[in-house]
């Protein structure tokens, strides 16, 4: 393990580990690596920490990871743990208690027998191998993890571990937001959910689980990685046990496990950029109904493979790189797909929503044609790649909605798709966002299916009077906001302090906390090796004393504090973190240092009852001794936060070392009013910027679409 991993394991900073290495002669010597990046033996580090009484309390999930790292066949045996999890679940509560009660030498034998009993539910043959006596600590950790945390968290923990066969290009876990969106889209117009669903590149089974949760009864999955297929089978078995599931190992393109299957729906996030997909050996495959995919167009092979497994009228949703929509080598196949009505929608997603994070993926919604000629002579293009494109802007300083930005995006996309699926001809164009384009218009020399190419050429269908009214309303709001900002900028005078700058005695936040002038909090999500002992104690007290916290409670995030508005996050009940309730007068400061500005935020009555989100410091001042706005202003001063930030790539603020001037309360209040004024000035400027952009967009759209006329010479009105 590296020095950084030691710091996370022990719940200390990297600087502390460096001090241990320099000051303690008995600290373990490097066991490998280089002089610049030494590696240490895990057992030696554990023994040294135990001897000093600094071994962290390890959660069941962390224990599993630690045991796998210690195991001499860590990667190989990790691939068999999914079968163990499924077998442990099948034994029931009584069986798990019996397994935990087994002696060390008896446990591997008992678990081996349980795995063989349920081997038919798992793909591959590796699960049939017996376990050895040295496997007992890991097996016991897995049984304990399933017993105490449930099977799903254990499977999630296993997916975080490195795999020796995970180097396939373009292979990655599908993020939850993408899983939910794809599972919603495959339902078409939102009628009865498809009963038979296939995922030919199922990974760990996330898409199939989402389909089962929505009503799918029979699930088919295949993955080229045996470990991934095992994970998928185990996950389906424990998360959606009522569904009938078949998961196979193998390359779906070369060795299709379900050649005769006609599914009602296909969900797939295939590997991208794969040139070794079998082009030469599959040149005459019957699946290439729309044309033989070029060697560099594996995505077009996955599209046709998915269509070949659909019953007539069934939908498929695939996540594909944007190049699939416009590369010249795939033009003929794209044209044939469009001509025959197989392409129903192409949706451009924001970059960062799923790997690879530097590009925005496209979702292709496909349908197996019922007839040779398309029944719906148009294709829906949605471009939601720009942040905030389809989500409604939140009112300033209002907690009007609980949905996160990604949830709002999902709802907006699904709503537009279902409206199009029900009535393609009734969909109104939204310039820059949505446009239904006729098949005839798409069949040109390029057959470019990039959403931005079509949504930005959409014409406005609203009436000129409506657009004029909307544009004038936005301009009126901008005028009011500008007047308010101008008044704020003119308010008061800011005299010089004198010939020399003012100085004062200061105290650190830690000193103020010891003197009960304030209370310092920071949210902790899980009590694992990344948490300090104090944070683990806080987590235990929170879960015990405040079981009602969590669930749907709004959560203040670091982004909320930076933007200066109230809670937009949602506290995750599944994490059961140390939920800290925000009170009016609390001061919040981001934990991560921002290069331009690190603003502090003072909670008001609208924030009362929100929960503290991750990466935030919360300061709760004694109102008899500290003014909140005074505290916020000096805590967020550039020279203050930069002096206590540590780290290289990610710089974190150590709030305990921040310094605060020691001034009488009445003088604090004078400074506090000044800082409150600056906060209002900043908020007003942000609002003016937002309204100016909206006004410009509305007016430009009206002019270019022919709905608005330029203002008369010397006039101020467009009407």
């Amino acid at each position: 393990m590296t020095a950084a991993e030691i710091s996370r394991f022990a719940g200390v900073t990297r600087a502390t580990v460096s001090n241990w290495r320099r000051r303690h002669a008995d600290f373990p010597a490097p066991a490998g690596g280089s002089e610049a990046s030494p590696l240490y033996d895990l057992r030696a580090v554990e023994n040294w920490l135990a001897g000093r009484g600094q071994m962290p309390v390890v959660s069941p999930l962390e224990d599993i990871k630690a045991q796998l790292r210690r195991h001499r066949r860590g990667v190989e045996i990790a691939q068999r743990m999914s079968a163990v999890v499924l077998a442990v679940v099948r034994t029931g509560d009584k069986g798990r208690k019996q397994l935990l009660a087994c002696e060390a030498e008896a446990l591997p034998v008992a678990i081996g027998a349980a795995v063989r009993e349920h081997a038919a539910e798992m793909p591959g043959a590796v699960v049939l191998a017996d376990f050895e006596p040295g496997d007992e600590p890991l097996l016991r950790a897995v049984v304990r993890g399933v017993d105490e945390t449930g099977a799903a968290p254990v499977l999630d923990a296993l997916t975080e571990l490195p795999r020796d066969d995970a180097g396939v290009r373009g292979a990655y876990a599908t993020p939850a937001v993408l899983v939910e969106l794809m599972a919603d889209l495959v339902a078409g117009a939102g009628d009865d959910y498809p009963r038979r669903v296939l995922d030919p590149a199922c990974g760990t089974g996330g898409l199939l689980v989402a389909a089962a949760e929505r009503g799918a009864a029979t699930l088919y999955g295949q993955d080229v990685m045996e470990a991934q297929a095992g994970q998928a089978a185990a996950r389906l078995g424990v998360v959606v046990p009522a569904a009938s599931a078949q998961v196979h190992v193998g390359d779906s393109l070369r060795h299709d496990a379900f050649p005769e299957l006609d599914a009602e729906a296909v969900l797939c996030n295939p590997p991208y950029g794969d040139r070794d997909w079998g082009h030469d050996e599959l040149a005459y495959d019957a699946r290439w109904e729309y044309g033989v995919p070029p060697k560099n167009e594996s995505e077009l092979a996955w599209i046709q493979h998915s269509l070949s497994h659909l019953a007539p009228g069934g939908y498929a949703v695939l996540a594909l790189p944007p190049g699939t929509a416009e590369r010249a080598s795939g033009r003929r196949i794209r044209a044939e797909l469009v001509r025959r009505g197989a392409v129903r929608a192409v949706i451009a997603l924001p970059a960062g929503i799923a790997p690879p994070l530097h590009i925005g993926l496209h979702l292709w919604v496909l349908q197996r044609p019922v007839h040779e000629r398309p029944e719906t002579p148009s294709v829906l293009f949605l471009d939601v790649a720009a942040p905030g494109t389809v989500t409604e802007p939140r009112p300033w300083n209002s907690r009007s909605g609980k949905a996160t930005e990604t949830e709002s995006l999902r709802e907006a996309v699904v709503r537009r798709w279902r409206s199009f699926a029900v009535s393609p001809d009734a969909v109104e164009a939204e310039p820059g966002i949505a446009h239904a384009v006729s098949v005839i218009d798409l069949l040109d020399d390029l057959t470019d299916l990039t959403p931005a190419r079509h949504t930005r050429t959409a014409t406005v269908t609203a009436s000129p009077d409506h657009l004029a009214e909307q544009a004038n309303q936005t301009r009126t709001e901008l005028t009011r906001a500008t007047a308010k900002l101008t008044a704020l900028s003119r308010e008061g005078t800011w005299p010089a302090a004198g010939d020399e700058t003012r100085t004062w005695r200061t105290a650190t936040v830690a000193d103020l906390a010891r003197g009960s002038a304030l209370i310092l909090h920071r949210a902790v999500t899980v009590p694992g090796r990344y948490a300090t002992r104090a944070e683990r104690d806080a987590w235990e007290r929170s879960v015990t004393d405040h079981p009602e916290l969590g669930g749907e409670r709004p959560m203040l995030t670091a982004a909320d504090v930076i933007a200066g508005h109230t809670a937009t996050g949602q506290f995750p009940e599944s994490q059961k973190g140390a939920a800290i309730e925000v009170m009016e007068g609390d001061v919040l400061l981001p934990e991560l240092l921002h290069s331009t500005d690190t603003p502090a935020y003072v909670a008001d009555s609208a924030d009362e009852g929100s929960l503290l989100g991750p990466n935030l410091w919360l300061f709760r001042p004694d109102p008899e001794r500290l003014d909140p706005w005074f505290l916020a202003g000096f805590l967020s001063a550039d020279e203050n936060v930069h002096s206590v930030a540590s780290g290289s790539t990610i710089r974190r603020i150590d709030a305990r070392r921040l310094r605060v001037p020691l001034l009488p309360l009445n003088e604090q209040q004078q400074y506090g009013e000044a800082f409150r004024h600056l906060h209002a000035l900043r908020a007003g400027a942000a609002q003016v910027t937002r309204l100016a952009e909206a006004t410009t967009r509305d007016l430009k759209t009206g002019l270019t679409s022919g709905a608005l006329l330029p203002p008369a010479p010397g006039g101020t009105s467009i009407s």
Side-chain angles (χ1 to χ4, degrees):
M1 63 194 314
T2 64
E5 290 172 328
I6 294 174
S7 70
R8 291 195 293 270
F9 179 79
V12 298
T13 64
R14 294 187 187 183
T16 300
V17 176
S18 298
N19 288 335
W20 287 346
R21 293 168 55 191
R22 289 195 303 267
R23 298 178 182 178
H24 298 281
D26 61 338
F27 189 83
S34 62
E35 185 176 351
S37 181
L39 296 174
Y40 298 87
D41 182 79
L42 174 61
R43 292 185 183 276
V45 171
E46 287 179 336
N47 292 335
W48 188 84
L49 290 171
R52 295 176 56 83
Q54 292 186 288
M55 272 293 289
V57 178
V58 180
S59 70
L61 300 182
E62 296 297 333
D63 189 22
I64 292 171
K65 297 176 187 178
Q67 295 296 342
L68 279 168
R69 293 174 65 182
R70 294 189 187 98
H71 203 284
R72 61 187 177 85
R73 294 178 290 113
V75 172
E76 183 270 328
I77 200 169
Q79 297 177 353
R80 299 160 57 192
M81 286 301 102
S82 299
V84 172
V85 172
L86 182 62
V88 170
V89 170
R90 293 290 186 259
T91 61
D93 292 339
K94 183 178 179 180
R96 287 195 291 276
K97 300 302 181 187
Q98 291 174 346
L99 288 173
L100 288 172
C102 284
E103 298 293 335
E105 63 275 7
L107 184 62
V109 177
I111 290 183
V115 168
R116 284 192 294 275
E117 183 179 350
H118 301 282
E121 299 182 56
M122 297 293 293
V126 70
V127 298
L128 299 178
D130 290 329
F131 294 102
E132 302 173 358
D135 301 333
E136 185 271 336
L138 172 60
L139 295 173
R140 192 174 297 278
V142 170
V143 177
R144 175 180 166 235
V146 173
D147 189 58
E148 296 185 15
T149 69
V154 172
L155 291 172
D156 288 339
L158 290 172
T159 61
E160 300 174 12
L161 299 169
R163 305 291 189 189
D164 58 352
D165 57 353
V168 177
R169 184 178 181 186
Y172 51 84
T174 307
V177 61
L178 192 57
V179 166
E180 298 296 321
L181 177 55
M182 292 175 67
D184 285 342
L185 292 173
V186 83
D191 299 328
D192 293 339
Y193 201 84
R195 304 290 290 172
R196 301 189 312 278
V197 179
L198 166 70
D199 185 348
C202 65
T204 59
L207 286 166
L208 291 175
V209 169
E213 291 173 340
R214 287 162 171 77
T218 308
L219 309 170
Y220 304 89
Q222 184 172 355
D223 199 89
V224 69
M225 302 182 195
E226 189 168 45
Q228 298 274 61
Q231 269 269 343
R235 191 176 299 276
L236 292 170
V238 301
V239 178
V240 286
S244 171
Q246 297 182 41
V247 181
H248 293 272
V249 180
D251 185 334
S252 291
L253 296 181
R254 287 188 172 93
H255 307 290
D256 188 0
F258 310 102
E260 305 301 324
L261 174 64
D262 282 339
E264 294 176 26
V266 175
L267 289 165
C268 187
N269 183 8
Y272 61 90
D274 182 13
R275 290 177 175 269
D276 185 26
W277 59 269
H279 173 268
D280 296 335
E281 57 197 278
L282 298 174
Y284 299 101
D285 197 286
R287 288 171 292 180
W288 312 148
E289 194 177 336
Y290 301 88
V292 178
K295 188 172 184 177
N296 66 330
E297 293 278 6
S298 62
E299 295 82 10
L300 293 177
W302 285 103
I303 285 175
Q304 296 190 72
H305 175 80
S306 299
L307 286 169
S308 72
H309 278 298
L310 278 175
Y315 286 101
V317 178
L318 282 79
L320 301 172
T324 310
E326 53 85 25
R327 279 193 292 257
S329 55
R331 180 188 64 80
R332 291 183 179 178
I333 294 179
R334 289 197 304 270
E336 190 64 18
L337 288 166
V338 170
R339 182 180 293 110
R340 294 173 58 180
V343 181
R344 295 299 310 280
V346 182
I347 304 162
L349 299 177
I353 203 170
L357 300 177
H358 64 287
I359 64 173
L361 293 180
H362 288 178
L363 291 183
W364 284 47
V365 183
L366 306 161
Q367 187 176 31
R368 179 72 180 268
V370 179
H371 305 290
E372 281 300 312
R373 302 178 67 85
E375 295 180 358
T376 53
S378 61
V379 176
L380 175 66
F381 292 95
L382 276 176
D383 185 4
V384 296
T389 301
V390 297
T391 53
E392 293 296 326
R394 299 182 184 275
W396 190 261
N397 202 31
S398 170
R399 193 183 295 125
S400 60
K402 296 179 181 178
T404 64
E405 184 176 350
T406 53
E407 289 171 339
S408 298
L409 182 145
R410 177 167 65 93
E411 293 169 0
V413 169
V414 172
R415 184 175 66 253
R416 286 168 171 83
W417 157 242
R418 288 183 177 169
S419 175
F420 173 80
V422 170
S423 181
D425 297 330
V427 175
E428 293 186 357
E430 299 176 72
I433 298 176
H435 191 198
V437 183
S438 69
V439 168
I440 298 300
D441 291 338
L442 292 173
L443 296 175
D444 55 17
D445 291 339
L446 299 175
T447 315
D448 189 340
L449 303 185
T450 304
R453 176 184 177 90
H454 302 285
T455 59
R456 293 175 186 176
T457 61
T459 58
V460 178
T461 57
S463 69
D465 288 341
H466 175 74
L467 279 175
E469 181 182 354
Q470 177 180 319
N472 285 327
Q473 182 178 354
T474 309
R475 289 178 63 231
T476 301
E477 293 179 13
L478 174 61
T479 302
R480 291 172 182 167
T482 304
K484 182 178 178 181
L485 180 62
T486 303
L488 284 170
S489 64
R490 292 174 177 172
E491 187 176 318
T493 57
W494 302 76
D499 294 336
E500 297 182 358
T501 57
R502 187 179 181 187
T503 59
W504 35 61
R505 290 192 308 115
T506 61
T508 64
V509 166
D511 291 335
L512 293 173
R514 280 192 291 269
S516 301
L518 59 78
I519 299 172
L520 181 64
H521 288 295
R522 183 175 58 171
V524 179
T525 54
V526 290
R529 69 185 183 195
Y530 300 95
T532 65
R533 289 179 178 174
E535 290 168 339
R536 284 194 294 272
D537 292 342
W539 182 85
E540 295 290 349
R541 288 195 302 272
S542 175
V543 173
T544 302
D545 300 339
H546 302 286
E548 76 283 358
L549 295 179
E552 297 297 321
R553 297 285 293 277
M555 178 180 70
L556 269 166
T557 66
D560 295 331
V561 170
I562 294 170
H565 55 61
T566 52
T568 61
Q570 182 176 318
F571 192 82
E573 184 178 11
S574 60
Q575 291 187 3
K576 292 187 180 298
I580 299 168
E581 195 165 355
V582 177
M583 300 173 59
E584 185 175 1
D586 286 347
V587 178
L588 297 104
L589 185 75
E591 184 182 8
L592 303 182
L593 180 65
H594 293 76
S595 57
T596 54
D597 185 23
T598 303
Y601 179 80
V602 179
D604 58 19
S605 58
D607 301 299
E608 188 88 31
S610 300
L611 301 181
L612 183 67
N615 298 321
L616 283 175
W617 289 103
L618 183 146
F619 309 81
R620 183 162 293 159
D622 179 354
E624 300 296 325
R625 301 171 64 181
L626 285 172
D627 180 82
W629 281 103
F630 163 81
L631 185 64
F634 279 100
L635 287 177
S636 59
D638 285 346
E639 63 274 14
N640 207 0
V641 295
H642 281 274
S643 67
V644 300
S646 60
S648 53
T649 305
I650 299 176
R651 305 199 69 199
R652 296 185 178 275
I653 297 170
D654 184 354
R656 291 160 293 213
R657 295 166 51 204
L658 291 168
R659 306 195 72 86
V660 180
L662 299 176
L663 298 177
L665 184 61
N666 62 338
E667 198 168 347
Q668 290 182 36
Q669 291 168 345
Q670 294 177 14
Y671 276 93
E673 282 300 316
F675 288 128
R676 187 199 298 266
H677 178 84
L678 294 178
H679 174 79
L681 190 65
R682 179 175 179 266
Q687 187 178 23
V688 167
T689 300
R690 179 175 59 83
L691 289 170
E693 291 175 351
T695 301
T696 302
R697 182 173 59 249
D698 290 347
L699 294 176
K700 184 177 180 181
T701 299
L703 289 170
T704 56
S705 66
L708 298 180
L709 297 174
T716 58
S717 175
I718 294 179
S719 57

